[in-house]
Amino acid sequence: MAAALMYDGHTMMTLNPETAAPAQFPSLSGATPIGVQALDIINSILEDASPGLAGIKLHLRRCLADYPGSPERALLAHLMETSSRVNSEWGDDSPECG
């Protein structure tokens, strides 16, 4: 199942859950600043060649499919789930910001 990220009626990138990374998005005209940042982060994660990221990339692609056209919501969902997993593994020793 492929998912497309769209802004202003134009496809920014198409994702296929079977591939390691999306094609670069051609243009970000019409995207919100947070949407541009989210797409940049998403692209960086999906293009990362580090070993052991297959599960993380798959989860991120699923989040993108769940929130088509809203990369910021997809990234937020991905980070919330990832944070929840890490916190449950670390228990009370999880790091805090601020």
Side-chain angles (χ1 to χ4, degrees):
M1 164 175 72
L5 296 178
M6 301 187 70
Y7 277 101
D8 256 2
H10 303 302
T11 300
M12 296 295 118
M13 75 172 80
T14 302
L15 303 159
N16 182 333
E18 303 304 319
T19 63
Q24 274 286 347
F25 33 91
S27 164
L28 295 176
S29 64
T32 64
I34 193 77
V36 172
Q37 291 174 354
L39 284 170
D40 188 41
I41 293 166
I42 290 165
N43 198 46
S44 294
I45 294 167
L46 294 176
E47 288 184 344
D48 191 323
S50 300
L53 291 181
I56 290 170
K57 290 177 181 184
L58 178 61
H59 182 263
L60 180 54
R61 286 191 296 272
R62 287 180 179 159
C63 289
L64 288 165
D66 287 346
Y67 296 98
S70 297
E72 60 276 19
R73 291 187 70 200
L75 182 59
L76 177 60
H78 172 73
L79 292 174
M80 297 282 291
E81 175 64 25
T82 302
S83 174
S84 171
R85 289 182 196 169
V86 168
N87 288 339
S88 69
E89 290 174 12
W90 286 24
D92 294 333
D93 296 330
S94 60
E96 295 181 13
C97 296

